[in-house]
Amino acid sequence: MKLSPRSWLCAALVLATPSLAQTSKFCPSGSGGPCYSVNIPASTASSSSGDIFFQITVPTTFTWAALGQGGQMAGANIFIIYSSASGNNVTLSPRSGVGEFQPKFNSQAQVTLIEGTGISGGMMTANVRCSNCLKWSGGTLDTSSTTSDWIWSAYSGDPLNSDNTGASLSQHNAGNAAFTFNLQKATGGSSLNPFIVATSSGTNSTTSPPGTNSTSSSGYDDGSSGSSSASSAPVTKLTKMRIAHGVIASLALLIFFPLGVFTLRLLNFNGLVWVHASIQIFAYAMAIAALGMGVWLATNLEELGEYHPIIGLTVISLLFFQPFLGHIHHYFFVRKGTRTLWSYAHIWLGRTLIALGIINGGLGLRLANNSTNGKIIYGVVAGVVFLIYLGVVFFDMKKRRGNAVSREKAPRGGVNEHGDGVVE
């Protein structure tokens, strides 16, 4: 059979063109916008190694959208997109799921944003090539699966406009759920970018799942299945624990420890030393409770190596010795009528630990990405407490100088019971 020149040309074009890539797409119903697509190149499927491609599209009325490998957040391989600092492109943030907490940035992810990525026509689009998505710390990807487990979530709100791949994110409010991809339908082709297709004019365009802007409940589904929920985000256990930790630690270090100092420096009655000791022990019990919550948070969020938990553990550990130092100080002061080495150890250790604890509270707010107003309020309260503390210390120093002569003349053992012991 003799082929015409036109037939030869068509055959040559077919041979010269990479085989058409197949994709599987999923648009959650009721989410109002996010859509997800995935492609497994034929070479990756046959060799069980190599790249995979995925696409995330979401309207710019959303702050962020996320796609994750795995059936739940714990151990998931998660990819989040949000607007870049310029507002004209997208930031891709690869993260690791650590349970019902904000995922942690994953520096081991080998991901690249490829052509077609950007913000245009009110849509954020991320076309992604991932070179190590077949296996991650929390699982593996079976490229032959017809029910591959994935998760999605999104947050509707103002643009984030950040280039920080570890930026703090508000909890999803536009839906989150597990779903499945049929990866057999997503397997095929050898394109270096399965989301770019040639047009009749010879230019390229980015493919997007249909129904992206739809707000109907039917959603869009191509070889995928799943359900979604779109509701306001509840207050999580993490949030409750953070609030409790911050409030209790602040009360202990900003209120009750200084209060124990003020009572001993400003008041004068028999048995005052035991009132002082009771206040300090109560404050220490609160600090221990806050420490327990802090260790739980730092462990689950993998933040034990941060400055805040390290300083917190150090402060609470050293505070353990304060009651014993205070008792020894009081013992010798009552008998000698003057401060000893034990006195200065007790006083200056206490002063140092309270100062460190208050500073560490600010570091904690920073680590938790607290609001600017929250940081300002804490700073103002800490500043006021510090000024009052200085005033009380200077008042006590002046009082001590004025009473120096009478103290020297007092018979041994006749000094006021509370002496000078304090956790300052």
Side-chain angles (χ1 to χ4, degrees):
M1 178 179 177
K2 187 177 180 180
L3 295 177
S4 66
R6 183 174 181 178
S7 298
W8 280 110
L9 178 60
C10 291
L13 287 173
V14 168
L15 292 173
T17 302
S19 56
L20 184 63
Q22 295 178 245
T23 59
S24 185
K25 305 169 185 174
F26 178 71
C27 294
S29 61
S31 65
C35 284
Y36 309 94
S37 303
V38 64
N39 165 255
I40 310 294
S43 60
T44 299
S46 61
S47 65
S48 297
S49 65
D51 300 334
I52 71 167
F53 298 87
F54 60 86
Q55 180 188 72
I56 303 174
T57 63
V58 66
T60 52
T61 53
F62 283 67
T63 303
W64 58 263
L67 174 67
Q69 295 177 275
Q72 59 182 2
M73 280 192 65
N77 196 26
I78 300 173
F79 306 93
I80 306 174
I81 68 166
Y82 39 85
S83 58
S84 64
S86 66
N88 299 319
N89 211 329
V90 299
T91 296
L92 173 65
S93 174
R95 305 196 181 197
S96 298
V98 289
E100 298 302 317
F101 311 102
Q102 183 170 181
K104 303 294 292 182
F105 174 69
N106 177 14
S107 61
Q108 304 302 313
Q110 299 174 18
V111 289
T112 305
L113 289 170
I114 56 180
E115 185 181 356
T117 295
I119 298 178
S120 178
M123 294 294 297
M124 287 190 288
T125 300
N127 293 335
V128 184
R129 178 177 68 245
C130 181
S131 300
N132 63 345
C133 279
L134 297 184
K135 184 177 182 180
W136 64 98
S137 60
T140 59
L141 180 69
D142 179 2
T143 58
S144 64
S145 175
T146 58
T147 55
S148 178
D149 290 325
W150 296 67
I151 57 175
W152 75 274
S153 61
Y155 183 87
S156 178
D158 295 331
L160 189 60
N161 290 349
S162 173
D163 293 334
N164 180 8
T165 53
S168 178
L169 304 174
S170 299
Q171 188 186 16
H172 48 76
N173 66 356
N176 67 289
F179 70 99
T180 61
F181 269 130
N182 184 341
L183 295 184
Q184 289 189 6
K185 290 187 176 182
T187 298
S190 59
S191 173
L192 297 179
N193 189 338
F195 307 111
I196 298 294
V197 295
T199 65
S200 59
S201 63
T203 59
N204 292 330
S205 64
T206 302
T207 62
S208 298
T212 297
N213 292 308
S214 172
T215 57
S216 68
S217 59
S218 60
Y220 175 76
D221 180 337
D222 179 10
S224 312
S225 63
S227 60
S228 61
S229 60
S231 59
S232 58
V235 178
T236 64
K237 182 179 181 180
L238 170 66
T239 302
K240 292 178 180 178
M241 193 68 75
R242 271 182 170 163
I243 292 173
H245 168 73
V247 170
I248 293 175
S250 297
L251 286 173
L253 291 161
L254 280 177
I255 304 299
F256 288 103
F257 275 124
L259 179 63
V261 175
F262 300 159
T263 55
L264 196 60
R265 295 304 190 188
L266 299 177
L267 303 178
N268 189 0
F269 56 85
N270 289 335
L272 178 58
V273 68
W274 302 115
V275 174
H276 160 76
S278 299
I279 294 174
Q280 303 301 71
I281 291 173
F282 176 72
Y284 187 60
M286 294 184 69
I288 289 291
L291 174 66
M293 297 176 190
V295 169
W296 184 88
L297 286 166
T299 300
N300 283 280
L301 295 174
E302 299 179 355
E303 294 175 342
L304 282 172
E306 299 288 343
Y307 290 122
H308 176 68
I310 291 174
I311 295 174
L313 284 166
T314 302
V315 168
I316 304 304
S317 298
L318 292 177
L319 277 172
F320 173 80
F321 299 101
Q322 279 296 84
F324 303 104
L325 290 174
H327 179 75
I328 296 172
H329 150 69
H330 177 69
Y331 176 84
F332 285 109
F333 189 88
V334 169
R335 282 153 183 76
K336 296 185 177 183
T338 186
R339 288 177 173 176
T340 63
L341 180 63
W342 295 104
S343 304
Y344 293 106
H346 178 63
I347 291 170
W348 283 102
L349 179 61
R351 288 175 176 173
T352 302
L353 294 181
I354 286 182
L356 271 177
I358 292 174
I359 293 171
N360 198 41
L363 293 176
L365 293 177
R366 181 176 180 273
L367 182 62
N369 291 292
N370 204 284
S371 66
T372 300
N373 288 339
K375 295 174 184 176
I376 291 174
I377 291 172
Y378 181 86
V380 170
V381 173
V384 170
V385 170
F386 177 72
L387 291 176
I388 295 174
Y389 187 91
L390 286 180
V392 170
V393 170
F394 283 122
F395 171 80
D396 181 71
M397 290 173 61
K398 184 177 180 181
K399 182 178 68 174
R400 283 175 55 80
R401 291 193 185 99
N403 295 336
V405 175
S406 59
R407 285 191 176 184
E408 290 176 0
K409 294 181 179 180
R412 186 169 296 180
V415 180
N416 283 343
E417 181 188 2
H418 62 80
D420 193 49
V422 66
V423 180
E424 294 183 346

